[in-house]
Amino acid sequence: MEDHALERVPDEERKNWLAISWNTTGLVTSIAILFFGALVCFVAGVKIALLAGITSFVVGSGIGWAIAAVAYETGCSNTLITRQHGLGVRGSALASVIFGFLIIGFLAIENALLYKGCLFFFGLNDNWHNKLIIYGGLTTVWIFLTAFGFNLVARFSSIMIIAFLIVMVYMLWIVVGQSGKSASDSLVFASQLPPDTLASMGILSDTDKYIFSLNILLGPACAIALNTADFGRYGKSVADVGAAASIGVFFQSILVALLGGVLMFAGSAAMVDHYVAVEGMTQLQAHQEVLKNSDSIAATFIVFGGVIGFVLMMVAQAKAQVLNTYSSSLCVANLADALFKWRPGRIYFVVIANVIALLMLYGQILELVEAWIKLAGVLLSSLASVIIADYYIVAPRLRRRHGAHSELIDVNWAGILSIGFAVYCAHYLLRPYQPIEVFTSIAVTIVCYTVLRLTMSSRSTTRSHKAA
């Protein structure tokens, strides 16, 4: 059950690329990623969305391969890695806050999607009785399946991915077949939003469509690249870990995104009719509802697929929730140890992560999570860039300067300040001039961290020599 949450994974427990890929792929074959795909395809059209997807794949895969070497060498989860590379022991709490709030937030959001899907399918009312039964049952399953560590999580994910792909092919056949559209029309379509709607979003050209799509897709791509360490710490080689990262980002940025676009395009007319007839919406409200949130993806599965569609929804989300719970437990374990030196055991943190996810469903916290997700690409790319800059640039120079073994520091202020400055530059200061925020955050973080860390280290060495 402990699963080496706060230590290096032993060499004898390492796995090949396939065992790791079940997990990186399982995270992104979900309703949320299908919805992101539908959104960018409807806004930009398939051709531009695919171009953005390919760019996202290149960037996310590149970060994933860079993190792969660190994960393989250290054998640690992504937040634990920052103790050695980028943030320091107590400073790694910042990584847990950034990554943990995002990953537990996804756990909460996707719990809500499953809950609403169950209400929709069974025709239930939204009340406390049903909330206790459905949320309680789902949470119990996530805890049980995650508690026993990597091997059970990987086995469960492999079964669910195969089931997901089989049922997804069936659903596409049903939806496209009933839509009256040809397969070629469903695969290649232009923007589905009117010019005035696009203009209200600040989208006036094909370049704007590409930038919008890329900013949407890069957030999850950076999350997968960084999350690779949680599973890649089990890799037998750098190539095994890097391959798993690339496969996960490919599914997220290209394959699942395209499937989401095709599914919603082919099913949109029928879904509009459903919202008008059953929900009593106007035509305009129904059109807006289709792309309003990811609930529409779950509703499409159920309207077209009935029982099989409901099963697909459960299959897609169940494996993602188990994987979210697994990464969340590692993240919370690092946070508790870094700040309070509290190590009760990983199973405690599996439970705590799920309790936090349930608490996020109420009040205004879930709205904060959704706003946080919009910053995901900037925050996670900056966090990953600190690790990469330290591992490849700073650490080798410090080893030459101070010797083969350098002690861990408590708080690496160079890393913390670099992340804060990069997020400010990418999301606020330079956004009007360079709208692809992840590119700015990567460049600013690497330059800023390298300069600050080496400068601080030089001053520290100088003071030590004077004191001697």
Side-chain angles (χ1 to χ4, degrees):
M1 286 188 178
E2 293 312 303
D3 209 27
H4 312 292
L6 293 170
E7 63 186 15
R8 185 180 189 275
V9 174
D11 292 342
E12 61 270 17
E13 295 185 28
R14 299 302 181 100
K15 314 290 182 182
N16 62 23
W17 65 272
L18 183 59
I20 306 169
S21 297
W22 290 125
N23 296 323
T24 56
T25 305
L27 276 169
V28 299
T29 46
S30 68
I31 290 175
I33 301 302
L34 286 168
F35 171 70
F36 289 150
L39 177 61
V40 298
C41 287
F42 269 57
V43 168
V46 170
K47 291 181 179 179
I48 295 175
L50 273 178
L51 180 61
I54 292 169
T55 308
S56 175
F57 168 72
V58 171
V59 174
S61 186
I63 295 173
W65 273 90
I67 294 291
V70 195
Y72 169 71
E73 180 181 303
T74 62
C76 294
S77 61
N78 72 75
T79 51
L80 204 60
I81 283 173
T82 61
R83 294 187 179 195
Q84 303 175 54
H85 299 289
L87 297 178
V89 177
R90 289 175 65 82
S92 68
L94 176 63
S96 287
V97 170
I98 292 174
F99 192 75
F101 197 71
L102 177 77
I103 203 74
I104 297 176
F106 266 114
L107 184 60
I109 289 171
E110 293 179 351
N111 271 339
L113 288 174
L114 285 172
Y115 172 73
K116 292 176 182 178
C118 288
L119 297 184
F120 188 89
F121 181 74
F122 293 108
L124 301 175
N125 295 320
D126 181 12
N127 55 46
W128 278 103
H129 178 262
N130 289 327
K131 285 178 179 177
L132 289 173
I133 292 175
I134 296 173
Y135 282 131
L138 293 174
T139 299
T140 300
V141 173
W142 311 152
I143 291 172
F144 177 79
L145 289 173
T146 311
F148 296 97
F150 181 91
N151 289 332
L152 181 60
V153 169
R155 190 175 301 116
F156 177 76
S157 183
S158 65
I159 295 170
M160 291 295 100
I161 288 173
I162 293 170
F164 169 84
L165 293 175
I166 291 173
V167 180
M168 190 68 195
V169 170
Y170 170 80
M171 279 298 300
L172 286 171
W173 180 67
I174 292 293
V175 173
V176 173
Q178 293 182 14
S179 68
K181 300 180 175 68
S182 68
S184 60
D185 289 340
S186 297
L187 279 172
V188 182
F189 55 87
S191 174
Q192 297 299 295
L193 301 184
D196 57 335
T197 302
L198 291 174
S200 68
M201 300 167 65
I203 300 173
L204 303 174
S205 65
D206 286 348
T207 300
D208 292 336
K209 293 176 182 178
Y210 170 77
I211 292 171
F212 172 87
S213 301
L214 187 55
N215 281 330
I216 292 290
L217 295 174
L218 276 174
C222 291
I224 289 299
L226 192 58
N227 194 243
T228 296
D230 287 351
F231 307 108
R233 65 200 180 106
Y234 276 90
K236 285 184 176 180
S237 69
V238 175
D240 284 308
V241 184
S246 291
I247 292 170
V249 178
F250 172 79
F251 268 74
Q252 172 265 325
S253 294
I254 298 176
L255 184 59
V256 178
L258 179 61
L259 290 176
V262 172
L263 183 71
M264 288 308 299
F265 176 75
S268 59
M271 289 307 301
V272 168
D273 293 341
H274 170 82
Y275 286 131
V276 170
V278 178
E279 305 292 337
M281 297 181 183
T282 65
Q283 283 284 333
L284 178 60
Q285 289 173 328
H287 278 288
Q288 293 174 340
E289 186 67 20
V290 171
L291 276 182
K292 182 179 179 181
N293 53 54
S294 48
D295 294 355
S296 57
I297 294 283
T300 301
F301 290 153
I302 294 170
V303 168
F304 280 92
V307 174
I308 293 178
F310 178 72
V311 169
L312 173 62
M313 180 190 72
M314 297 300 294
V315 166
Q317 294 307 104
K319 59 177 171 37
Q321 291 298 74
V322 169
L323 294 165
N324 283 333
T325 299
Y326 182 83
S327 287
S328 297
S329 70
L330 299 176
C331 200
V332 179
N334 177 70
L335 181 65
D337 183 64
L339 293 182
F340 310 111
K341 301 299 180 185
W342 186 46
R343 293 190 176 195
R346 192 179 67 87
I347 183 62
Y348 283 80
F349 298 114
V350 170
V351 175
I352 289 171
N354 275 275
V355 170
I356 295 173
L358 291 176
L359 293 175
M360 283 182 170
L361 294 168
Y362 302 100
Q364 302 299 313
I365 299 178
L366 199 58
E367 294 180 12
L368 294 176
V369 173
E370 291 172 349
W372 190 267
I373 288 172
K374 294 177 183 179
L375 278 172
V378 179
L379 288 162
L380 297 177
S381 62
S382 183
L383 181 59
S385 296
V386 162
I387 296 172
I388 292 166
D390 188 272
Y391 181 81
Y392 291 98
I393 304 172
V394 173
R397 295 188 181 186
L398 293 183
R399 280 195 294 268
R400 290 194 296 269
R401 183 182 298 174
H402 301 298
H405 300 285
S406 57
E407 293 183 2
L408 293 177
I409 60 178
D410 191 46
V411 178
N412 187 346
W413 288 107
I416 292 173
L417 293 173
S418 296
I419 290 174
F421 183 64
V423 171
Y424 171 71
C425 287
H427 198 63
Y428 300 102
L429 183 64
L430 300 178
R431 187 177 182 180
Y433 313 102
Q434 208 297 93
I436 304 176
E437 298 177 30
V438 166
F439 292 171
T440 302
S441 78
I442 291 172
V444 171
T445 301
I446 291 175
V447 172
C448 186
Y449 178 76
T450 301
V451 172
L452 279 177
R453 183 74 180 101
L454 293 177
T455 301
M456 289 179 177
S457 176
S458 296
R459 290 178 179 176
S460 176
T461 302
T462 302
R463 285 196 298 267
S464 297
H465 288 163
K466 287 181 178 180

